[in-house]
Amino acid sequence: MSDCLFCKIAAGDIPSRKVYEDEDVLAFHDINPLRPLHVLVIPKRHITSLAHVTPEDVPVLGKILAVANKIAQEQGSPDGFRVIINTGRIGQQEVPHLHAHIVGGPEPVGPMLKRL
Ligand code: 5GP
Ligand code: ZN
């Protein structure tokens, strides 16, 4: 997708602080980190959100989760981490290219959600 921010990052047209890359996925530091570790993992091929996945996307979704622990171990969160995938309007997804937030650090990240 030519007009997608994360497609441009995946293509190298917009710079990012890369932490992991293979033929299918790219991981890079969030520009506005909310915890000491805050990395985004994206499929290189455009998928708008978890609400848009098709059966052909299943392997790359598995890969995104499978690299999370490797990233956490290597980026200063060896005792665990949290994975967040905001989806659509209700999930308050801001960038419409599927991405997993990997958040962590030396301290627990906090409650899962604040009660409304
Ligand atoms: P969302 O709310 O869609 O789940 O999260 C989007 C995330 O992308 C936010 O945490 C935001 O800080 C991050 N982000 C937005 N623009 C950029 C960018 O240009 N570079 C990087 N590295 N992160 C970005
Ligand atoms: Zn995209």
Side-chain angles (χ1 to χ4, degrees), residues 46-110:
H46 182 86
I47 304 170
T48 301
S49 81
L50 266 191
H52 295 78
V53 301
T54 66
E56 73 164 328
D57 300 323
V58 169
V60 78
L61 293 177
K63 194 176 251 190
I64 286 168
L65 295 180
V67 300
N69 187 52
K70 173 181 166 59
I71 290 166
Q73 293 288 331
E74 292 175 0
Q75 299 291 327
S77 195
D79 294 335
F81 54 89
R82 184 171 293 166
V83 177
I84 301 166
I85 304 178
N86 296 322
T87 303
R89 181 177 70 87
I90 300 299
Q92 297 186 287
Q93 180 181 1
E94 288 173 9
V95 178
H97 179 129
L98 193 156
H99 51 281
H101 298 254
I102 314 299
V103 290
E107 305 294 335
V109 296

Short mmCIF file of all heavy atoms in Angstrom, two decimals, residues 46-110:
data_model
loop_
_atom_site.label_atom_id
_atom_site.label_comp_id
_atom_site.label_asym_id
_atom_site.label_seq_id
_atom_site.Cartn_x
_atom_site.Cartn_y
_atom_site.Cartn_z
N HIS A 46 1.21 -5.69 3.57
CA HIS A 46 0.15 -4.91 4.22
C HIS A 46 -1.03 -5.78 4.64
O HIS A 46 -1.63 -6.47 3.81
CB HIS A 46 -0.35 -3.79 3.30
CG HIS A 46 -1.39 -2.94 3.97
ND1 HIS A 46 -1.07 -1.87 4.77
CD2 HIS A 46 -2.75 -3.04 4.00
CE1 HIS A 46 -2.18 -1.34 5.26
NE2 HIS A 46 -3.22 -2.03 4.80
N ILE A 47 -1.36 -5.72 5.92
CA ILE A 47 -2.63 -6.25 6.46
C ILE A 47 -3.17 -5.10 7.30
O ILE A 47 -2.47 -4.57 8.16
CB ILE A 47 -2.42 -7.49 7.35
CG1 ILE A 47 -1.65 -8.60 6.62
CG2 ILE A 47 -3.75 -8.01 7.87
CD1 ILE A 47 -1.21 -9.76 7.53
N THR A 48 -4.40 -4.68 7.05
CA THR A 48 -4.91 -3.48 7.70
C THR A 48 -5.04 -3.67 9.21
O THR A 48 -4.65 -2.78 9.99
CB THR A 48 -6.26 -3.08 7.08
OG1 THR A 48 -6.04 -2.86 5.67
CG2 THR A 48 -6.81 -1.81 7.71
N SER A 49 -5.59 -4.80 9.63
CA SER A 49 -5.78 -5.04 11.07
C SER A 49 -6.08 -6.51 11.28
O SER A 49 -6.25 -7.27 10.32
CB SER A 49 -6.93 -4.19 11.63
OG SER A 49 -8.18 -4.81 11.35
N LEU A 50 -6.21 -6.90 12.56
CA LEU A 50 -6.60 -8.28 12.86
C LEU A 50 -7.99 -8.59 12.31
O LEU A 50 -8.32 -9.75 12.11
CB LEU A 50 -6.61 -8.51 14.37
CG LEU A 50 -5.37 -9.08 15.05
CD1 LEU A 50 -5.71 -9.47 16.49
CD2 LEU A 50 -4.80 -10.29 14.31
N ALA A 51 -8.79 -7.54 12.08
CA ALA A 51 -10.13 -7.74 11.52
C ALA A 51 -10.09 -8.00 10.01
O ALA A 51 -11.12 -8.23 9.40
CB ALA A 51 -11.01 -6.53 11.81
N HIS A 52 -8.91 -7.94 9.43
CA HIS A 52 -8.78 -8.11 7.98
C HIS A 52 -7.97 -9.35 7.60
O HIS A 52 -7.60 -9.50 6.44
CB HIS A 52 -8.10 -6.87 7.37
CG HIS A 52 -8.90 -5.62 7.50
ND1 HIS A 52 -8.98 -4.91 8.67
CD2 HIS A 52 -9.68 -4.97 6.61
CE1 HIS A 52 -9.77 -3.86 8.49
NE2 HIS A 52 -10.21 -3.87 7.26
N VAL A 53 -7.63 -10.20 8.55
CA VAL A 53 -6.75 -11.33 8.21
C VAL A 53 -7.50 -12.38 7.40
O VAL A 53 -8.71 -12.56 7.55
CB VAL A 53 -6.10 -11.99 9.46
CG1 VAL A 53 -5.27 -10.99 10.24
CG2 VAL A 53 -7.12 -12.65 10.34
N THR A 54 -6.76 -13.05 6.55
CA THR A 54 -7.30 -14.15 5.74
C THR A 54 -6.46 -15.39 6.08
O THR A 54 -5.41 -15.28 6.73
CB THR A 54 -7.17 -13.84 4.24
OG1 THR A 54 -5.77 -13.79 3.92
CG2 THR A 54 -7.83 -12.50 3.89
N PRO A 55 -6.91 -16.56 5.64
CA PRO A 55 -6.14 -17.77 5.96
C PRO A 55 -4.67 -17.68 5.52
O PRO A 55 -3.79 -18.23 6.18
CB PRO A 55 -6.90 -18.87 5.20
CG PRO A 55 -8.32 -18.38 5.19
CD PRO A 55 -8.22 -16.88 5.02
N GLU A 56 -4.39 -16.97 4.46
CA GLU A 56 -2.99 -16.89 4.00
C GLU A 56 -2.12 -16.07 4.97
O GLU A 56 -0.90 -16.12 4.91
CB GLU A 56 -2.88 -16.34 2.57
CG GLU A 56 -3.16 -14.88 2.45
CD GLU A 56 -2.69 -14.28 1.12
OE1 GLU A 56 -1.69 -14.73 0.55
OE2 GLU A 56 -3.36 -13.33 0.67
N ASP A 57 -2.76 -15.30 5.87
CA ASP A 57 -2.00 -14.49 6.83
C ASP A 57 -1.61 -15.26 8.10
O ASP A 57 -0.83 -14.75 8.90
CB ASP A 57 -2.83 -13.27 7.25
CG ASP A 57 -3.19 -12.37 6.09
OD1 ASP A 57 -2.34 -12.22 5.18
OD2 ASP A 57 -4.31 -11.82 6.08
N VAL A 58 -2.17 -16.45 8.28
CA VAL A 58 -1.95 -17.18 9.54
C VAL A 58 -0.46 -17.41 9.83
O VAL A 58 -0.02 -17.17 10.96
CB VAL A 58 -2.77 -18.49 9.54
CG1 VAL A 58 -2.36 -19.39 10.71
CG2 VAL A 58 -4.26 -18.16 9.63
N PRO A 59 0.35 -17.84 8.88
CA PRO A 59 1.77 -18.06 9.21
C PRO A 59 2.48 -16.79 9.71
O PRO A 59 3.26 -16.85 10.66
CB PRO A 59 2.37 -18.55 7.90
CG PRO A 59 1.22 -19.16 7.16
CD PRO A 59 0.03 -18.31 7.52
N VAL A 60 2.19 -15.65 9.10
CA VAL A 60 2.89 -14.43 9.52
C VAL A 60 2.40 -13.98 10.90
O VAL A 60 3.18 -13.44 11.69
CB VAL A 60 2.80 -13.31 8.45
CG1 VAL A 60 1.47 -12.60 8.44
CG2 VAL A 60 3.92 -12.29 8.66
N LEU A 61 1.14 -14.25 11.21
CA LEU A 61 0.65 -13.92 12.56
C LEU A 61 1.39 -14.75 13.60
O LEU A 61 1.78 -14.24 14.66
CB LEU A 61 -0.85 -14.18 12.67
CG LEU A 61 -1.75 -13.27 11.83
CD1 LEU A 61 -3.21 -13.70 11.98
CD2 LEU A 61 -1.59 -11.82 12.24
N GLY A 62 1.61 -16.02 13.29
CA GLY A 62 2.37 -16.87 14.20
C GLY A 62 3.79 -16.37 14.37
O GLY A 62 4.33 -16.35 15.48
N LYS A 63 4.37 -15.93 13.29
CA LYS A 63 5.75 -15.45 13.35
C LYS A 63 5.85 -14.19 14.21
O LYS A 63 6.79 -14.03 14.99
CB LYS A 63 6.27 -15.19 11.94
CG LYS A 63 7.75 -15.00 11.88
CD LYS A 63 8.23 -14.85 10.45
CE LYS A 63 8.98 -16.05 9.97
NZ LYS A 63 9.66 -15.84 8.68
N ILE A 64 4.87 -13.30 14.09
CA ILE A 64 4.87 -12.07 14.89
C ILE A 64 4.91 -12.43 16.38
O ILE A 64 5.69 -11.85 17.16
CB ILE A 64 3.64 -11.20 14.54
CG1 ILE A 64 3.86 -10.54 13.17
CG2 ILE A 64 3.36 -10.16 15.62
CD1 ILE A 64 2.62 -9.89 12.58
N LEU A 65 4.10 -13.39 16.80
CA LEU A 65 4.09 -13.79 18.21
C LEU A 65 5.37 -14.53 18.57
O LEU A 65 5.91 -14.36 19.66
CB LEU A 65 2.87 -14.65 18.51
CG LEU A 65 1.52 -13.94 18.37
CD1 LEU A 65 0.39 -14.91 18.69
CD2 LEU A 65 1.44 -12.71 19.27
N ALA A 66 5.86 -15.32 17.65
CA ALA A 66 7.05 -16.12 17.95
C ALA A 66 8.30 -15.27 18.14
O ALA A 66 9.20 -15.67 18.88
CB ALA A 66 7.27 -17.16 16.84
N VAL A 67 8.37 -14.11 17.51
CA VAL A 67 9.58 -13.29 17.67
C VAL A 67 9.49 -12.40 18.92
O VAL A 67 10.49 -11.80 19.32
CB VAL A 67 9.91 -12.43 16.43
CG1 VAL A 67 10.15 -13.30 15.22
CG2 VAL A 67 8.88 -11.36 16.17
N ALA A 68 8.31 -12.32 19.53
CA ALA A 68 8.14 -11.41 20.68
C ALA A 68 9.10 -11.75 21.81
O ALA A 68 9.75 -10.85 22.37
CB ALA A 68 6.69 -11.46 21.17
N ASN A 69 9.22 -13.01 22.15
CA ASN A 69 10.10 -13.38 23.27
C ASN A 69 11.56 -13.13 22.94
O ASN A 69 12.32 -12.66 23.79
CB ASN A 69 9.88 -14.84 23.66
CG ASN A 69 10.65 -15.19 24.91
OD1 ASN A 69 10.53 -14.49 25.92
ND2 ASN A 69 11.46 -16.23 24.86
N LYS A 70 11.93 -13.42 21.72
CA LYS A 70 13.32 -13.14 21.29
C LYS A 70 13.63 -11.66 21.46
O LYS A 70 14.69 -11.28 21.98
CB LYS A 70 13.46 -13.58 19.82
CG LYS A 70 14.76 -13.23 19.15
CD LYS A 70 14.71 -13.71 17.69
CE LYS A 70 15.84 -13.09 16.86
NZ LYS A 70 17.17 -13.42 17.41
N ILE A 71 12.72 -10.81 21.03
CA ILE A 71 12.91 -9.37 21.14
C ILE A 71 13.00 -8.96 22.61
O ILE A 71 13.89 -8.19 23.00
CB ILE A 71 11.77 -8.62 20.42
CG1 ILE A 71 11.89 -8.82 18.91
CG2 ILE A 71 11.75 -7.14 20.79
CD1 ILE A 71 10.65 -8.43 18.13
N ALA A 72 12.08 -9.48 23.43
CA ALA A 72 12.08 -9.12 24.85
C ALA A 72 13.39 -9.52 25.52
O ALA A 72 13.99 -8.75 26.29
CB ALA A 72 10.89 -9.77 25.54
N GLN A 73 13.86 -10.74 25.21
CA GLN A 73 15.12 -11.22 25.80
C GLN A 73 16.28 -10.31 25.41
O GLN A 73 17.14 -9.98 26.22
CB GLN A 73 15.42 -12.64 25.32
CG GLN A 73 14.46 -13.70 25.82
CD GLN A 73 14.61 -14.00 27.28
OE1 GLN A 73 15.70 -13.88 27.85
NE2 GLN A 73 13.51 -14.39 27.93
N GLU A 74 16.28 -9.88 24.17
CA GLU A 74 17.42 -9.12 23.64
C GLU A 74 17.34 -7.63 23.96
O GLU A 74 18.35 -6.93 23.87
CB GLU A 74 17.51 -9.31 22.12
CG GLU A 74 17.89 -10.72 21.73
CD GLU A 74 17.88 -10.96 20.23
OE1 GLU A 74 17.58 -10.03 19.46
OE2 GLU A 74 18.17 -12.10 19.83
N GLN A 75 16.14 -7.15 24.30
CA GLN A 75 15.95 -5.70 24.44
C GLN A 75 15.66 -5.27 25.87
O GLN A 75 15.08 -4.21 26.11
CB GLN A 75 14.82 -5.23 23.51
CG GLN A 75 15.07 -5.48 22.03
CD GLN A 75 16.18 -4.62 21.46
OE1 GLN A 75 16.38 -3.49 21.88
NE2 GLN A 75 16.92 -5.17 20.51
N GLY A 76 16.02 -6.12 26.86
CA GLY A 76 15.96 -5.68 28.25
C GLY A 76 14.68 -6.00 28.99
O GLY A 76 14.35 -5.32 29.97
N SER A 77 13.97 -7.04 28.56
CA SER A 77 12.77 -7.46 29.30
C SER A 77 12.76 -8.99 29.43
O SER A 77 11.85 -9.66 28.94
CB SER A 77 11.52 -6.96 28.59
OG SER A 77 10.39 -7.04 29.43
N PRO A 78 13.81 -9.55 30.10
CA PRO A 78 13.98 -11.01 30.07
C PRO A 78 12.98 -11.78 30.92
O PRO A 78 12.82 -12.98 30.73
CB PRO A 78 15.41 -11.20 30.61
CG PRO A 78 15.64 -10.01 31.48
CD PRO A 78 14.90 -8.89 30.81
N ASP A 79 12.28 -11.08 31.84
CA ASP A 79 11.38 -11.80 32.74
C ASP A 79 9.92 -11.73 32.31
O ASP A 79 9.02 -11.98 33.11
CB ASP A 79 11.51 -11.24 34.17
CG ASP A 79 12.89 -11.52 34.75
OD1 ASP A 79 13.53 -12.49 34.30
OD2 ASP A 79 13.32 -10.77 35.63
N GLY A 80 9.69 -11.38 31.07
CA GLY A 80 8.33 -11.34 30.55
C GLY A 80 8.04 -10.04 29.85
O GLY A 80 8.88 -9.13 29.79
N PHE A 81 6.85 -9.95 29.32
CA PHE A 81 6.49 -8.80 28.48
C PHE A 81 5.00 -8.88 28.25
O PHE A 81 4.34 -9.84 28.66
CB PHE A 81 7.27 -8.86 27.15
CG PHE A 81 7.10 -10.16 26.41
CD1 PHE A 81 6.07 -10.35 25.51
CD2 PHE A 81 7.97 -11.23 26.66
CE1 PHE A 81 5.90 -11.57 24.87
CE2 PHE A 81 7.81 -12.45 26.02
CZ PHE A 81 6.77 -12.61 25.12
N ARG A 82 4.46 -7.86 27.61
CA ARG A 82 3.05 -7.88 27.21
C ARG A 82 2.96 -7.61 25.72
O ARG A 82 3.69 -6.76 25.19
CB ARG A 82 2.26 -6.83 28.00
CG ARG A 82 0.75 -6.85 27.70
CD ARG A 82 -0.01 -5.95 28.66
NE ARG A 82 0.06 -6.48 30.01
CZ ARG A 82 -0.27 -5.78 31.10
NH1 ARG A 82 -0.69 -4.53 30.99
NH2 ARG A 82 -0.18 -6.32 32.30
N VAL A 83 2.04 -8.31 25.08
CA VAL A 83 1.77 -8.11 23.65
C VAL A 83 0.38 -7.48 23.52
O VAL A 83 -0.58 -7.99 24.11
CB VAL A 83 1.81 -9.44 22.87
CG1 VAL A 83 1.45 -9.22 21.41
CG2 VAL A 83 3.18 -10.09 23.00
N ILE A 84 0.29 -6.39 22.79
CA ILE A 84 -0.99 -5.68 22.59
C ILE A 84 -1.19 -5.49 21.09
O ILE A 84 -0.29 -5.01 20.38
CB ILE A 84 -0.96 -4.30 23.28
CG1 ILE A 84 -0.70 -4.45 24.79
CG2 ILE A 84 -2.27 -3.54 23.02
CD1 ILE A 84 -0.33 -3.13 25.48
N ILE A 85 -2.37 -5.87 20.62
CA ILE A 85 -2.72 -5.63 19.21
C ILE A 85 -4.04 -4.86 19.18
O ILE A 85 -5.12 -5.44 19.31
CB ILE A 85 -2.83 -6.95 18.40
CG1 ILE A 85 -1.53 -7.77 18.51
CG2 ILE A 85 -3.15 -6.64 16.94
CD1 ILE A 85 -1.56 -9.11 17.77
N ASN A 86 -3.94 -3.55 19.09
CA ASN A 86 -5.14 -2.72 19.00
C ASN A 86 -5.78 -2.93 17.64
O ASN A 86 -5.08 -2.96 16.62
CB ASN A 86 -4.77 -1.24 19.19
CG ASN A 86 -4.21 -0.96 20.57
OD1 ASN A 86 -4.66 -1.53 21.56
ND2 ASN A 86 -3.20 -0.11 20.65
N THR A 87 -7.10 -3.05 17.63
CA THR A 87 -7.79 -3.40 16.38
C THR A 87 -9.03 -2.53 16.17
O THR A 87 -9.95 -2.55 16.99
CB THR A 87 -8.17 -4.90 16.39
OG1 THR A 87 -6.98 -5.68 16.58
CG2 THR A 87 -8.83 -5.31 15.09
N GLY A 88 -8.99 -1.77 15.07
CA GLY A 88 -10.17 -1.02 14.66
C GLY A 88 -10.57 0.10 15.61
O GLY A 88 -9.81 0.52 16.48
N ARG A 89 -11.78 0.60 15.42
CA ARG A 89 -12.25 1.75 16.19
C ARG A 89 -12.38 1.43 17.68
O ARG A 89 -11.95 2.21 18.54
CB ARG A 89 -13.63 2.19 15.65
CG ARG A 89 -14.22 3.40 16.35
CD ARG A 89 -15.55 3.82 15.73
NE ARG A 89 -16.62 2.86 15.99
CZ ARG A 89 -17.39 2.88 17.08
NH1 ARG A 89 -17.23 3.80 18.00
NH2 ARG A 89 -18.34 1.97 17.24
N ILE A 90 -12.91 0.27 17.99
CA ILE A 90 -13.12 -0.08 19.40
C ILE A 90 -11.78 -0.33 20.08
O ILE A 90 -11.58 0.05 21.24
CB ILE A 90 -14.05 -1.31 19.51
CG1 ILE A 90 -15.40 -1.02 18.87
CG2 ILE A 90 -14.20 -1.75 20.96
CD1 ILE A 90 -16.18 0.13 19.49
N GLY A 91 -10.86 -0.93 19.36
CA GLY A 91 -9.52 -1.16 19.91
C GLY A 91 -8.64 0.07 19.86
O GLY A 91 -7.50 0.02 20.31
N GLN A 92 -9.16 1.14 19.29
CA GLN A 92 -8.45 2.43 19.18
C GLN A 92 -7.11 2.29 18.47
O GLN A 92 -6.09 2.83 18.90
CB GLN A 92 -8.34 3.11 20.54
CG GLN A 92 -9.72 3.44 21.11
CD GLN A 92 -9.67 4.25 22.39
OE1 GLN A 92 -9.32 3.73 23.46
NE2 GLN A 92 -10.01 5.51 22.30
N GLN A 93 -7.14 1.54 17.36
CA GLN A 93 -5.97 1.39 16.50
C GLN A 93 -5.74 2.70 15.75
O GLN A 93 -6.66 3.23 15.11
CB GLN A 93 -6.21 0.25 15.51
CG GLN A 93 -5.06 0.00 14.55
CD GLN A 93 -5.39 -1.14 13.58
OE1 GLN A 93 -6.48 -1.72 13.62
NE2 GLN A 93 -4.45 -1.45 12.70
N GLU A 94 -4.53 3.23 15.83
CA GLU A 94 -4.24 4.52 15.18
C GLU A 94 -3.61 4.33 13.80
O GLU A 94 -3.87 5.12 12.90
CB GLU A 94 -3.31 5.36 16.06
CG GLU A 94 -4.04 5.91 17.29
CD GLU A 94 -3.11 6.60 18.26
OE1 GLU A 94 -1.92 6.82 17.91
OE2 GLU A 94 -3.56 6.90 19.37
N VAL A 95 -2.77 3.35 13.66
CA VAL A 95 -2.09 3.13 12.38
C VAL A 95 -2.71 1.89 11.71
O VAL A 95 -2.62 0.78 12.26
CB VAL A 95 -0.57 2.92 12.57
CG1 VAL A 95 0.10 2.64 11.23
CG2 VAL A 95 0.06 4.16 13.22
N PRO A 96 -3.35 2.06 10.55
CA PRO A 96 -4.09 0.96 9.93
C PRO A 96 -3.20 0.00 9.12
O PRO A 96 -3.40 -0.23 7.93
CB PRO A 96 -5.12 1.68 9.05
CG PRO A 96 -4.47 2.96 8.69
CD PRO A 96 -3.59 3.34 9.86
N HIS A 97 -2.17 -0.50 9.79
CA HIS A 97 -1.34 -1.61 9.29
C HIS A 97 -1.08 -2.45 10.53
O HIS A 97 -0.50 -1.96 11.51
CB HIS A 97 -0.04 -1.05 8.68
CG HIS A 97 0.92 -2.09 8.17
ND1 HIS A 97 1.48 -2.04 6.90
CD2 HIS A 97 1.46 -3.19 8.77
CE1 HIS A 97 2.30 -3.07 6.73
NE2 HIS A 97 2.32 -3.78 7.87
N LEU A 98 -1.53 -3.69 10.50
CA LEU A 98 -1.48 -4.56 11.68
C LEU A 98 -0.11 -4.49 12.36
O LEU A 98 0.92 -4.58 11.69
CB LEU A 98 -1.79 -5.99 11.26
CG LEU A 98 -2.09 -7.03 12.34
CD1 LEU A 98 -2.92 -8.15 11.74
CD2 LEU A 98 -0.84 -7.60 12.97
N HIS A 99 -0.12 -4.33 13.68
CA HIS A 99 1.14 -4.31 14.43
C HIS A 99 0.89 -4.81 15.84
O HIS A 99 -0.15 -4.54 16.44
CB HIS A 99 1.75 -2.90 14.47
CG HIS A 99 0.79 -1.84 14.92
ND1 HIS A 99 -0.14 -1.31 14.07
CD2 HIS A 99 0.63 -1.22 16.11
CE1 HIS A 99 -0.85 -0.40 14.71
NE2 HIS A 99 -0.42 -0.33 15.96
N ALA A 100 1.87 -5.53 16.37
CA ALA A 100 1.85 -5.97 17.76
C ALA A 100 2.80 -5.08 18.54
O ALA A 100 3.96 -4.88 18.14
CB ALA A 100 2.27 -7.43 17.86
N HIS A 101 2.30 -4.51 19.65
CA HIS A 101 3.17 -3.79 20.57
C HIS A 101 3.78 -4.82 21.52
O HIS A 101 3.04 -5.59 22.15
CB HIS A 101 2.37 -2.79 21.42
CG HIS A 101 1.67 -1.71 20.67
ND1 HIS A 101 2.12 -0.41 20.67
CD2 HIS A 101 0.55 -1.73 19.91
CE1 HIS A 101 1.28 0.34 19.95
NE2 HIS A 101 0.31 -0.44 19.48
N ILE A 102 5.09 -4.81 21.66
CA ILE A 102 5.77 -5.63 22.66
C ILE A 102 6.27 -4.64 23.72
O ILE A 102 7.13 -3.81 23.42
CB ILE A 102 6.98 -6.39 22.07
CG1 ILE A 102 6.63 -7.07 20.74
CG2 ILE A 102 7.54 -7.38 23.08
CD1 ILE A 102 5.55 -8.09 20.81
N VAL A 103 5.69 -4.71 24.92
CA VAL A 103 6.05 -3.75 25.96
C VAL A 103 6.59 -4.49 27.18
O VAL A 103 6.12 -5.58 27.53
CB VAL A 103 4.87 -2.83 26.36
CG1 VAL A 103 4.54 -1.86 25.24
CG2 VAL A 103 3.65 -3.63 26.77
N GLY A 104 7.56 -3.88 27.82
CA GLY A 104 8.16 -4.49 29.00
C GLY A 104 9.27 -3.63 29.54
O GLY A 104 9.33 -2.43 29.28
N GLY A 105 10.16 -4.28 30.27
CA GLY A 105 11.26 -3.58 30.92
C GLY A 105 11.57 -4.27 32.24
O GLY A 105 11.14 -5.40 32.47
N PRO A 106 12.29 -3.58 33.13
CA PRO A 106 12.67 -4.22 34.39
C PRO A 106 11.53 -4.32 35.39
O PRO A 106 11.59 -5.13 36.32
CB PRO A 106 13.79 -3.32 34.92
CG PRO A 106 13.62 -2.01 34.23
CD PRO A 106 12.96 -2.29 32.92
N GLU A 107 10.48 -3.50 35.22
CA GLU A 107 9.36 -3.49 36.18
C GLU A 107 8.09 -4.01 35.49
O GLU A 107 7.94 -3.87 34.28
CB GLU A 107 9.09 -2.05 36.65
CG GLU A 107 10.29 -1.34 37.25
CD GLU A 107 10.74 -1.98 38.56
OE1 GLU A 107 9.89 -2.61 39.23
OE2 GLU A 107 11.92 -1.86 38.88
N PRO A 108 7.14 -4.55 36.29
CA PRO A 108 5.85 -4.95 35.71
C PRO A 108 5.21 -3.77 34.96
O PRO A 108 5.30 -2.62 35.39
CB PRO A 108 5.02 -5.37 36.92
CG PRO A 108 6.03 -5.83 37.91
CD PRO A 108 7.21 -4.90 37.72
N VAL A 109 4.53 -4.08 33.87
CA VAL A 109 4.04 -3.02 32.99
C VAL A 109 2.78 -2.33 33.52
O VAL A 109 2.42 -1.25 33.04
CB VAL A 109 3.76 -3.53 31.55
CG1 VAL A 109 5.05 -3.98 30.91
CG2 VAL A 109 2.72 -4.62 31.53
N GLY A 110 2.09 -2.93 34.51
CA GLY A 110 0.90 -2.28 35.06
C GLY A 110 -0.34 -3.09 34.75
O GLY A 110 -0.28 -4.10 34.07
#
